[in-house]
Amino acid sequence: VDHPVFADLSREYRDIFQQIPIYKYFASEPSTLADSARVIARLRDREQSPLLVVGNFGAGKIAVLTTSLSRRPDRWNDLQLELIAFQLLHPLARWLTVAATNPHNVEVGAVLTAALPDKPRDVAFISSERAGSLRIPVGDETRLLAGGRYSLPPCRDTGFAGIYMADMHVERDGVLAPHSMPFAVNVDPSDGALDYAAPAVVRERLGIERVLRDLPDDGSSAVAAGRNDLGPLLMLFALLFLLGEAALARFVSTRRQ
């Protein structure tokens, strides 16, 4: 239930989805699936046959449903019910349209490149601070991609972790405009994924009983520091000593005059 495909399935719709009968399907063994595949729905038969399998396919994603959504032939299955079809197919389509990999968050040694809506010119990469912040020219080796987009010339000098910047000029309506694009190069690409965890998740992972969202209204309460207050007293003595020394020095200088 934690997969984005089931994001729109509330508890009520989830119960309906689990009770829908499946009359015909393509039986498959979970052990024959690829290592990167994930079974997010399965049938309750003797072999626990997968019903919906998702995974990465090249630079994109793939979802395999082992049964049909069609109403023909009759009694094929009941997944075409409007209560479930829209709740399932809409988030599935959204999930499939998101790229499987993030080109701006790669591991050390990977190639830096991306797709741009405008044609880039005079492209140069600025390496990370650990690599000396060097300027790496890559030229204008752009390719026209599907959908009228252009590929950024690749940069292969990513031997150090850190933030890399691609400086370039893009052609917009016949005018060249400066443009920059950041890339995060990590030893582990997951280090660059910054997620905001919910308070419940923070409490569970860190063992914190209560997560404060704001300061308490009562500001008169004091917290015991667990130590004595000799510090302010010693500072007061030091201040008095300096004032006495200054007064004594002025008195001595006045007597000498």
Side-chain angles (χ1 to χ4, degrees), residues 93-171:
R94 288 186 316 200
W95 179 79
L96 287 173
T97 55
V98 178
T101 58
N102 184 1
H104 299 276
N105 184 26
V106 300
E107 62 182 358
V108 172
V111 179
L112 302 181
T113 186
L116 298 174
D118 304 304
K119 187 175 182 180
R121 298 183 182 275
D122 302 327
V123 182
F125 284 83
I126 309 299
S127 63
S128 65
E129 184 177 354
R130 296 182 58 188
S133 300
L134 302 178
R135 186 176 181 86
I136 308 172
V138 293
D140 296 332
E141 298 179 4
T142 60
R143 292 186 300 107
L144 182 62
L145 304 176
R149 299 175 68 87
Y150 296 89
S151 67
L152 193 67
C155 176
R156 297 176 174 82
D157 297 333
T158 58
F160 294 88
I163 301 298
Y164 289 68
M165 294 294 298
D167 288 341
M168 70 197 80
H169 287 84
V170 293
E171 185 177 347

Side-chain angles (χ1 to χ4, degrees), residues 56-134:
N56 297 337
F57 187 78
K61 297 178 180 178
I62 188 173
V64 178
L65 184 64
T66 58
T67 187
S68 174
L69 294 178
S70 174
R71 298 182 180 181
R72 299 176 181 177
D74 189 23
R75 293 180 58 85
W76 182 269
N77 61 52
D78 288 337
L79 283 177
Q80 80 280 356
L81 295 177
E82 295 181 358
L83 289 175
I84 294 300
F86 182 79
Q87 302 286 341
L88 183 63
L89 294 181
H90 185 249
L92 178 61
R94 288 186 316 200
W95 179 79
L96 287 173
T97 55
V98 178
T101 58
N102 184 1
H104 299 276
N105 184 26
V106 300
E107 62 182 358
V108 172
V111 179
L112 302 181
T113 186
L116 298 174
D118 304 304
K119 187 175 182 180
R121 298 183 182 275
D122 302 327
V123 182
F125 284 83
I126 309 299
S127 63
S128 65
E129 184 177 354
R130 296 182 58 188
S133 300
L134 302 178

